[in-house]
Amino acid sequence: MEEWVGLKWHDYVTRQAMGEFPEYAVHLKDEARTLGVLFRAMGGDPALSLVTAEPRHVQIRRRFLQKLAGTHRKFELAWRDDESLRLPDKLALFPSKKVNRELYLWLAALASLGEIHHHSWLHGNQAMVQALLARWPGLESMYQRLVRHTLHWRPHPDSLRGHEAERETAIRQALIHPGSVRDLPEALTDPWPVVLWLYPVLGRGKLKGQIIGDDNTLSKSGGLTKKRKRRRAERVDAFDKDQGLMLFRLENLFSWSEFIPVDRAGDDSDEDDANAVADDMDMISVSQDRREASSAIKFDLDLPSEEHDDLPLGPGIHLPEWDWRPQDYREKFCCLQPLLSKEAGAAVLPEHLKRPAQTLRRQFSALKPLRQWERRQREGEELDLDACLERVVQHRRGLGEADQKLFRQCKQNQRDLACLVLTDVSLSTDTYINNHQRVIDIARDGLQLLSEALTASRDPFALFAFSSRRRDHIRFHHIKGFNEPYNDTTRGRIQALEPGYYTRMGAAIRQSIKLLEARPEHQKILLLLTDGKPNDLDLYEGRYGVEDTRMAVQEAHKAGLTPFCVTIDEEANEYLPYVFGSSNFVVIKDPVQLPGQLPKLYMNLTR
């Protein structure tokens, strides 16, 4: 009974202290598509994702009820950087659902003009508001309505003291008349959050700009990416894991802090609840000199020795890579190593694929070249009787020079196309689907069924797989070349594919472009099979990898190729429209259906 009363009391006090209107709440997930379209339509960077903003600490002067409830210590404030636009997960500040939704629209429109930095928070926001209203005068009425509600939500200057009251008066002046305030008076506390303005990047300036946390997936379809969290960080000396409690004396006051290893690069941590602990931490301490280096040792042991690795084909190929920040290529930045499986032997088609393969061969055999007679040829195997009769009629009627094309010839009707299939075999393909089948197993079955179908249609095709470990070790597995037959040797190479390493997609696509450009066919298709976004151990993360892959796809289009992506990634709709275009990719929602769907996709693509 006491616990129940305590929970009810806590809920009541918290609800009263929040000062929000839950019945008029508007959620970002419901407005994400509209906000994405608005942001890009108003000139915002199309490469930015729409992500939920993390709560950040703001040291404001709180009322007694707010202190009692423990609220108003953190606020979700809007901000953007080079990779994402971050907006509050929910807005319930005003007693109107329309006005709360308009706040989302205003923040998206304001963010389309650029990013706010620490040194220009006051002047930058005022200047951006002026520029936005000058460019889009129709937003004036909405802005004034938002200002009125915001001023009512903010504390009145009469309730504050000294410099805090002067600062609040100046902020109100800046909201009502943007550009009229040059400086804010200094005070011991932070100003009450200005919900109509953008804020600087969370955590920038700590650790020389590094952010602790996962990178964001990009949303190009207007959708909302999964929530990612960024943390403030500090550098500390190496600490002993067994010494979790650190006591120190500071003016006769004892305190302690708990170190919990939340290692982003390793999976050997003994803390099973490290993620939950990290969610409760305001600052994460990072040590560069950890005594426990089992993660690094484990990763190095995963690297095969030369005698057990695949057979390298040549010294390696140096390829450029696109860096979106200076908008230029890094020449010979990557080294791609073609490899041939050393241990793959001849293998037959697995038993569970024989029946669907037989059905596909029968369907695709209708696409194979047929012998057809071509009439009115100067040379040929037989006389064309119709052409001969017409020549006799023209000669007797004296209608000028007679036609000399009197033969017919039987020629092969060719499908003038070639296809290169590029498969992602990164470590993520080692995950299980429905707890009984790995992604790599599904990919192998898909490659074998597609190969059976293409062999029946007699379309020239090649098979390659790729993975990477930084820019100097991009593995490009040779499975079948265009001039090689599809036989038991090829099947053995497909079945020998194993997952490993990362996904440096841009270099693999560029090498595939070179191979396709050497083909004489008129239509050339680059079919990419993957299960996730581009990534690698080095800087090839987040927007950098996506931008390089997008540039490689554009290079394929310029070369006259048709790049098409088939993926099982559930978040693919958030970045593939930006990389491949809205009609050049497909997401297979049920990965188990990939082997059967792949030949059908190819038939639709080449029809």
Side-chain angles (χ1 to χ4, degrees), residues 390-406:
E390 290 181 12
R391 179 181 180 184
V392 172
V393 171
Q394 291 177 0
H395 177 71
R396 290 185 177 181
R397 297 178 62 182
L399 296 179
E401 185 177 353
D403 191 358
Q404 301 298 322
K405 299 179 180 180
L406 304 176

Side-chain angles (χ1 to χ4, degrees), residues 48 53 56 74 147 376 410 427 437 442 511 514 529 592:
L48 295 190
R56 66 170 74 196
K74 293 182 179 181
V147 168
R376 297 184 180 278
C410 189
L427 194 59
Q437 194 172 15
I442 297 174
Q511 179 62 16
K514 289 185 177 181
L529 309 181
V592 179

Side-chain angles (χ1 to χ4, degrees), residues 1-230:
M1 185 64 180
E2 294 179 358
E3 183 178 354
W4 181 84
V5 172
L7 290 175
K8 292 298 182 182
W9 169 252
H10 173 74
D11 292 341
Y12 173 77
V13 173
T14 302
R15 190 164 54 251
Q16 294 298 318
M18 287 300 295
E20 295 184 345
F21 303 90
E23 63 274 20
Y24 300 110
V26 179
H27 296 271
L28 181 59
K29 63 181 180 180
D30 300 326
E31 305 296 330
R33 186 170 297 276
T34 301
L35 297 176
V37 173
L38 175 67
F39 176 76
R40 293 170 179 87
M42 301 187 75
D45 190 341
L48 295 190
S49 59
L50 182 58
V51 185
T52 303
E54 309 80 7
R56 66 170 74 196
H57 271 284
V58 181
Q59 296 179 354
I60 60 175
R61 187 174 297 280
R62 298 183 294 163
R63 297 192 297 270
F64 172 76
L65 189 60
Q66 294 167 349
K67 293 180 180 179
L68 181 64
T71 61
H72 292 74
R73 292 185 300 176
K74 293 182 179 181
F75 291 85
E76 292 184 358
L77 303 173
W79 57 279
R80 61 159 287 185
D81 56 10
D82 292 335
E83 295 193 3
S84 58
L85 165 60
R86 297 178 178 252
L87 299 177
D89 182 56
K90 179 186 69 173
L91 287 177
L93 303 177
F94 310 132
S96 169
K97 183 168 288 190
K98 174 186 175 182
V99 179
N100 286 322
R101 183 175 182 272
E102 287 180 342
L103 179 55
Y104 268 135
L105 299 175
W106 170 259
L107 292 174
L110 191 66
S112 67
L113 298 182
E115 179 183 348
I116 288 294
H117 301 281
H118 282 276
H119 62 275
S120 61
W121 176 72
L122 176 65
H123 301 115
N125 274 293
Q126 292 185 86
M128 287 172 60
V129 170
Q130 288 179 303
L132 186 62
L133 295 179
R135 185 176 180 183
W136 306 99
L139 297 177
E140 179 70 37
S141 59
M142 183 177 74
Y143 176 71
Q144 295 300 332
R145 184 161 50 250
L146 288 170
V147 168
R148 289 195 299 272
H149 282 82
T150 301
L151 295 181
H152 183 73
W153 174 75
R154 298 182 63 81
H156 197 275
D158 294 341
S159 64
L160 303 174
R161 294 174 296 178
H163 293 302
E164 293 181 7
E166 296 176 5
R167 183 180 59 191
E168 179 61 28
T169 302
I171 291 178
R172 287 171 171 261
Q173 177 71 16
L175 287 172
I176 299 173
H177 301 290
S180 60
V181 178
R182 299 184 59 183
D183 297 300
L184 292 179
E186 294 290 339
L188 296 177
T189 60
D190 294 330
W192 194 273
V194 185
V195 294
L196 295 186
W197 288 356
L198 299 181
Y199 275 74
V201 175
L202 180 63
R204 180 160 292 179
K206 305 293 184 181
L207 294 177
K208 298 181 180 180
Q210 297 182 20
I211 301 297
I212 305 303
D214 294 335
D215 293 316
N216 301 306
T217 53
L218 301 182
S219 173
K220 302 301 163 300
S221 60
L224 177 66
T225 65
K226 289 186 177 180
K227 186 173 182 179
R228 309 293 191 209
K229 291 191 174 181
R230 293 188 175 191

Side-chain angles (χ1 to χ4, degrees), residues 240-437:
D240 192 344
K241 180 180 178 181
D242 296 330
Q243 296 177 355
L245 188 66
M246 300 183 64
L247 298 176
F248 63 95
R249 186 176 183 90
L250 179 60
E251 296 179 357
N252 298 324
L253 177 66
F254 286 92
S255 64
W256 64 86
S257 62
E258 184 179 3
F259 281 94
I260 299 186
V262 186
D263 196 340
R264 183 174 186 267
D267 57 358
D268 57 347
S269 174
D270 295 331
E271 298 290 341
D272 296 332
D273 59 344
N275 290 332
V277 172
D279 288 338
D280 296 331
M281 298 173 67
D282 296 327
M283 178 176 292
I284 295 179
S285 300
V286 182
S287 170
Q288 289 183 325
D289 185 23
R290 292 189 56 185
R291 297 181 185 178
E292 185 179 18
S294 57
S295 298
I297 296 175
K298 180 178 179 180
F299 184 80
D300 289 338
L301 290 176
D302 287 339
L303 299 179
S305 61
E306 292 186 6
E307 59 182 16
H308 292 97
D309 200 1
D310 291 336
L311 181 66
L313 303 177
I317 303 170
H318 292 280
L319 296 170
E321 188 167 272
W322 175 257
D323 190 344
W324 66 276
R325 289 163 296 193
Q327 291 290 297
D328 198 4
Y329 285 98
R330 294 183 170 189
E331 296 296 336
K332 297 183 179 181
F333 190 69
C334 300
C335 183
L336 182 140
Q337 179 61 64
L339 297 169
L340 185 65
S341 178
K342 186 186 300 183
E343 315 219 344
V348 297
L349 193 67
E351 192 66 31
H352 68 282
L353 297 180
K354 288 185 177 179
R355 178 171 292 182
Q358 184 178 3
T359 303
L360 289 172
R361 283 193 294 265
R362 185 169 58 252
Q363 293 174 349
F364 275 72
S365 62
L367 303 177
K368 67 182 180 181
L370 301 175
R371 293 179 64 83
Q372 294 182 348
W373 289 99
E374 294 188 1
R375 300 176 60 242
R376 297 184 180 278
Q377 303 294 314
R378 291 187 179 275
E379 297 178 355
E381 302 168 5
E382 297 179 1
L383 286 171
D384 187 345
L385 296 182
D386 292 337
C388 292
L389 286 174
E390 290 181 12
R391 179 181 180 184
V392 172
V393 171
Q394 291 177 0
H395 177 71
R396 290 185 177 181
R397 297 178 62 182
L399 296 179
E401 185 177 353
D403 191 358
Q404 301 298 322
K405 299 179 180 180
L406 304 176
F407 298 89
R408 67 175 189 165
Q409 189 177 17
C410 189
K411 293 184 178 180
Q412 196 86 354
N413 183 23
Q414 296 284 350
R415 274 164 55 92
D416 191 19
L417 63 88
C419 178
L420 187 147
V421 184
L422 183 62
T423 306
D424 171 14
V425 290
S426 60
L427 194 59
S428 59
T429 60
D430 196 31
T431 57
Y432 279 83
I433 302 296
N434 299 330
N435 296 324
H436 70 278
Q437 194 172 15

